[in-house]
């Protein structure tokens, strides 16, 4: 049995240059007109570099953008669930014309060069149209005026609306993977690397767990169900940017290491990280998760309750249902081949005497150990006891340590401020 | 999504007569030459009656028997894993000729009539040849002289060798389902009934758990994994004959009821029973389990550790491996479409703090609650405490009650015998 092929039918499309090609392009890049890119675009570029966004080889044309918003299809009919956009202000893009090569930079680092094949304007009306199509959930009634609420509270929509007015499309040459190879050594794996690992293990049916929060027993249980029915599982963390207040990737990775060491059969698990920021695109983001996982060699994407959820914008299982509604082009190259592994809300249940889900546990609320993320963060940061069976002790110890560190930092700041006042 | 079609590509092949057809055939049957059939043949006949053995409509010809033994294929190229035979002694079959109709009877009940299309002899050498092909495991080294050991200890081989010398083949008309519809009302379900139940529930991906022993937490866990990844599960018990000393079906069914009531989400589970005896055919029997489950509408057959095992004759996972080695005819009608849901050895683990399997639990023997069937029976019958987490209390109470009843019967017998002696 072979691994699932990369999405798009063209193998892994990797735009990352290496060796003398890289040196030459870097030299050329220094002389080109520069555009400052967003954190999201940086992640998108690195994914294009390493083949994680196959078959995309650059940012989207207007036709691609329109097709993706309306039908989840690129202009050539290939499935793709969310826009991947490069934008600049009118001033920044002034003097950039179709046919030009430009340099894409962020915080002093050159990430890519791009050959501009299209330059088009996007109005606020266009962005609202996109937001309604891409970010609005299925339960329309409950949302009232979606855009009104979303403009206030939806981080994904806010990111769309904050995009600049001029879109630049075209193929890229990627020159840097940023901090990921050094800062997340051993965790940051390129699709070619995960595919090699899976092949060496003789796996073909591989599940992925998407993680952006610390891993507790409910996530562990999702993985363990996957291990029972697949050849193995990759615990695949977002190592790009999150919302302020979220737990940093380095801490989350340490938690996963601890869990894998103490509670998994190591042969059946791989840990990895991918360099994207959260888009907060709800169900469509769940489809993106499956799409790029296919490039990593994953055939089953674990989709639990409220996967990639944002506030109250989506139904608890909309991210599962969307897999039944997405377009399925006849050409398997253009179709998403990574299937969802849909699992219900999971928790520890005293009467079940173990982990369970809403599909397997007939007992009541009082028998179950359920904590919201918000409540857990509060309990960890104020040092109160976490209910038994919610997490593994070793993991909770790491998280407590992280929160204690935060508190110390705040106390030091306060002490400094206080002594400053006294002087 | 539709249910998996019945095996063989011909829909449900049901030979059971009803209404006036049944009355007429019964009248005719009374006047035909009678053959006394084995308990196994009775079960086979009822399965042919209700479509459980689709596409079989009668007992096997020599060509079918040979193809099944050698290649798991009927003479027409349809997959079938074990012989389904009707035999008689030379005396009994004397005067029966090809073209005759005969009556098949057991313990005074007429189960079927059969049109004899072939009559052939089977020597002890033929039966040994069959036994080696059908019953011998893959681990040849460990078995030494298979037939020597098997003749002494293998109940399946012993059943083959005990078959009579003359085989009668031909299509049957089934006249009775025996005691099953009354004795197992609500549990004994025909394939058409389970299919109707599944369709009403809107299920298409359905797993089956095969049970011939009382259901403990390891079985419960297999079902619960299946519930997570399928639309639902049927807990499908053998309600035919077992070895002496095994727990009767009525007690096992009560245990399952109790489990389903207390520990399952009822909407996701169906309980049913099928009227076959154990054949003790090891890996080949696992394939038979999947084959007839397909007729019941099941698409995934749960195959755990030592499924349908017999003593030490088979490797712990041979019944899983055989699904990778069986013939797969190009014609989907002739191919087995019910796939295995392979799950490793499951148990409660204290360190995991719940149920686990060898694929998910990295801990040691001492952390796990594992009891052999033999040891459990001993503990139940001598009233000793069963280790925590092994079974559900409510189920263990039923089993203790059953064993106490047995002991009382023995004591009453002994008292009677003693008072008899005193008189």
């Amino acid at each position: 049995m072979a691994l699932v092929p990369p999405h798009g039918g063209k193998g892994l499309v990797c735009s990352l240059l290496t060796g003398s090609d890289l040196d030459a392009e870097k030299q050329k890049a220094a002389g080109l007109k520069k555009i400052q890119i967003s954190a999201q675009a940086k992640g998108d570029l690195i994914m294009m570099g390493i083949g994680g966004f196959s078959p995309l080889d650059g940012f989207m044309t207007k036709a691609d953008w329109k097709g993706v918003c309306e039908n989840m299809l690129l202009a050539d009919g290939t499935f793709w669930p969310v826009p991947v956009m490069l934008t600049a202000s009118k001033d920044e893009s002034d003097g950039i014309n179709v046919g030009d090569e430009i340099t894409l930079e962020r915080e002093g680092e050159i990430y890519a060069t791009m050959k501009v094949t299209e330059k088009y304007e996007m109005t606020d009306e266009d962005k609202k149209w996109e937001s309604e199509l891409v970010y609005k959930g299925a339960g329309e009634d409950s949302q009232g005026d979606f855009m009104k609420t979303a403009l206030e509270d939806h981080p994904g929509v806010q990111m769309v609306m904050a995009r600049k007015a001029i879109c630049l499309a075209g193929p890229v040459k990627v020159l840097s993977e940023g901090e990921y190879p050094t800062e997340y050594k051993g965790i940051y794996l390129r699709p070619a690397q995960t595919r090699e690992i899976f092949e060496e293990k003789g796996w073909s049916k591989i599940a992925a767990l998407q993680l952006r929060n610390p891993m507790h027993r409910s996530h562990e249980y999702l993985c363990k169900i996957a291990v029972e029915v697949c050849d193995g599982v990759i615990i695949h963390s977002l190592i790009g940017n999150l919302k302020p207040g979220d737990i940093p990737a380095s801490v989350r990775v340490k938690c996963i290491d601890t869990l894998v060491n103490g509670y998994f059969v190591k042969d059946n698990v791989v840990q990895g990280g991918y360099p994207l920021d959260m888009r907060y695109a709800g169900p469509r983001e769940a489809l993106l998760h499956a799409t790029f996982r296919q490039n990593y060699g994953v055939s089953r994407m674990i989709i639990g309750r409220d996967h990639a959820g944002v506030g109250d914008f989506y139904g608890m299982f909309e991210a599962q249902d969307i897999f039944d509604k997405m377009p399925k082009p006849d050409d398997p190259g253009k179709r998403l081949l990574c299937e969802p592994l849909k699992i219900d809300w999971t928790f520890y249940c005293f009467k079940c005497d173990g982990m369970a889900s809403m599909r397997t546990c007939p007992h009541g609320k009082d028998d179950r150990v359920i904590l919201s993320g918000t409540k857990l963060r509060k309990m960890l940061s104020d040092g109160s006891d976490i209910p038994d069976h919610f997490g593994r002790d070793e993991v909770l110890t790491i998280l407590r340590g992280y929160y204690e560190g935060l508190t110390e930092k705040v106390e030091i700041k306060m002490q400094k401020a206080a002594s400053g006042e006294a002087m």
Side-chain angles (χ1 to χ4, degrees), chain A:
Chain A
M1 288 285 288
L3 294 179
V4 65
H7 180 52
K10 299 170 183 170
L12 283 178
V13 178
C14 302
S15 310
L16 185 66
L17 298 184
T18 55
S20 57
D21 292 344
L22 174 62
D23 297 337
E25 194 71 16
K26 269 185 174 168
Q27 218 158 11
K28 190 178 78 182
L32 300 174
K33 186 166 168 63
K34 281 198 186 75
I35 293 282
Q36 300 301 317
I37 60 172
S38 66
Q40 185 181 86
K42 170 190 152 185
D44 293 347
L45 273 175
I46 298 175
M47 284 296 261
M48 291 176 209
I50 61 180
F53 269 3
S54 304
L56 301 191
D57 64 353
F59 291 99
M60 287 186 180
T61 64
K62 187 153 193 185
D64 283 336
W65 169 78
K66 195 164 176 285
V68 165
C69 292
E70 278 186 327
N71 309 313
M72 305 192 215
L73 296 173
L74 298 170
D76 75 352
T78 302
F79 172 80
W80 197 273
V82 294
V84 177
M85 311 298 289
L86 181 71
T87 63
S89 69
K90 284 182 184 172
D91 280 355
E92 287 166 332
S93 63
D94 196 35
I96 295 179
N97 298 306
V98 167
D100 288 355
E101 284 189 276
I102 59 174
T103 289
L104 308 182
E105 190 189 74
R106 181 176 172 80
E107 294 170 351
E109 173 96 3
I110 293 177
Y111 284 97
T113 60
M114 183 171 103
K115 173 104 178 171
V116 179
T117 58
E118 194 178 322
K119 181 181 176 184
Y120 56 103
E121 197 174 338
M122 194 168 287
T123 64
D124 277 358
E125 285 314 300
D126 291 332
K127 292 182 201 165
K128 283 182 189 165
W129 179 81
E130 171 182 336
S131 297
E132 292 251 358
L133 284 169
V134 176
Y135 292 80
K136 189 170 169 179
E140 308 199 13
D141 292 343
S142 61
Q143 296 184 11
D145 182 348
F146 169 73
M147 279 310 290
K148 191 167 171 290
T149 329
L151 289 172
E152 286 165 20
D153 294 327
H154 196 301
V157 170
Q158 288 165 349
M159 276 191 269
V160 172
M161 297 308 295
R163 277 189 337 227
K164 295 170 183 173
I166 306 298
C167 301
L168 297 166
V172 296
K173 289 176 181 164
V174 178
L175 310 183
S176 168
E177 296 167 272
E179 71 280 22
Y180 295 108
T182 48
E183 224 169 84
Y184 295 100
K185 205 175 167 178
I187 294 296
Y188 171 69
L189 298 172
R190 301 183 193 103
Q193 290 173 302
T194 56
R195 288 179 167 269
E196 201 181 315
I197 293 169
F198 299 156
E199 273 171 0
E200 270 172 15
K201 286 176 168 283
W203 293 357
S204 61
K205 198 173 167 186
I206 298 135
L209 179 76
Q210 154 76 28
L211 267 187
R212 70 186 214 226
N213 287 315
M215 189 166 173
H216 296 299
R217 288 198 60 190
S218 54
H219 306 108
E220 182 190 323
Y221 188 54
L222 296 179
C223 281
K224 289 190 166 177
I225 294 170
V227 166
E228 295 297 356
V229 297
C230 297
D231 298 328
V233 68
I234 177 166
I235 302 175
H236 210 202
S237 297
L238 179 142
I239 53 179
N241 294 304
L242 288 157
K243 292 196 303 288
D246 283 335
I247 309 240
S250 57
V251 178
R252 288 183 279 121
V253 164
K254 208 172 147 194
C255 293
I256 296 170
D257 274 340
T258 305
L259 260 184
V260 169
N261 283 327
Y263 296 95
F264 278 87
V265 174
K266 281 183 213 169
D267 276 355
N268 300 331
V269 191
V270 171
Q271 187 184 171
Y274 66 95
L276 283 183
D277 292 2
M278 274 301 289
R279 276 180 151 70
Y280 299 101
R284 289 260 198 146
E285 182 141 354
L287 291 175
L288 182 67
H289 286 160
T291 306
F292 72 74
R293 255 47 169 250
Q294 183 179 328
N295 292 327
Y296 280 89
V298 167
S299 55
R300 298 296 296 271
M301 182 72 214
I302 299 173
I303 308 286
R305 172 181 165 272
D306 202 24
H307 184 106
V310 183
D312 295 329
F313 282 96
Y314 308 106
M316 287 296 118
F317 295 99
E318 263 190 68
Q320 295 187 350
D321 299 341
I322 199 169
F323 281 84
D324 304 322
K325 297 173 188 164
M326 66 177 175
K328 288 176 182 155
D330 289 338
D331 177 352
K334 297 186 168 173
R335 192 164 68 225
L336 176 63
L337 301 177
C338 176
E339 291 181 17
L341 179 57
K342 302 177 180 177
I343 306 183
D344 210 309
W345 192 2
T346 60
F347 42 76
Y348 183 92
C349 167
F350 285 95
K351 281 202 182 143
C352 288
D353 187 33
M355 296 303 295
S357 85
M358 295 293 280
R359 282 184 63 74
T360 62
C361 165
H363 306 119
K365 220 173 52 176
D366 296 342
D367 303 313
R368 297 171 181 163
V369 180
I370 291 172
L371 268 188
S372 73
T374 319
K375 195 159 180 195
L376 174 69
R377 272 189 292 275
K378 197 179 166 304
M379 295 175 103
L380 283 169
S381 56
D382 69 14
S384 46
D385 282 342
I386 311 296
D388 283 349
H389 311 288
F390 177 82
R392 300 295 184 183
D393 289 345
E394 301 89 328
V395 171
L396 294 174
T397 303
I398 293 169
L399 293 175
R400 279 190 204 288
Y402 166 71
Y403 278 103
E404 276 166 20
L406 283 188
T407 316
E408 275 166 28
K409 278 184 203 158
V410 171
E411 279 170 1
I412 290 165
K413 267 192 198 164
M414 286 172 69
Q415 279 169 6
K416 279 188 186 166
S419 63
E421 277 172 2
M423 279 198 298

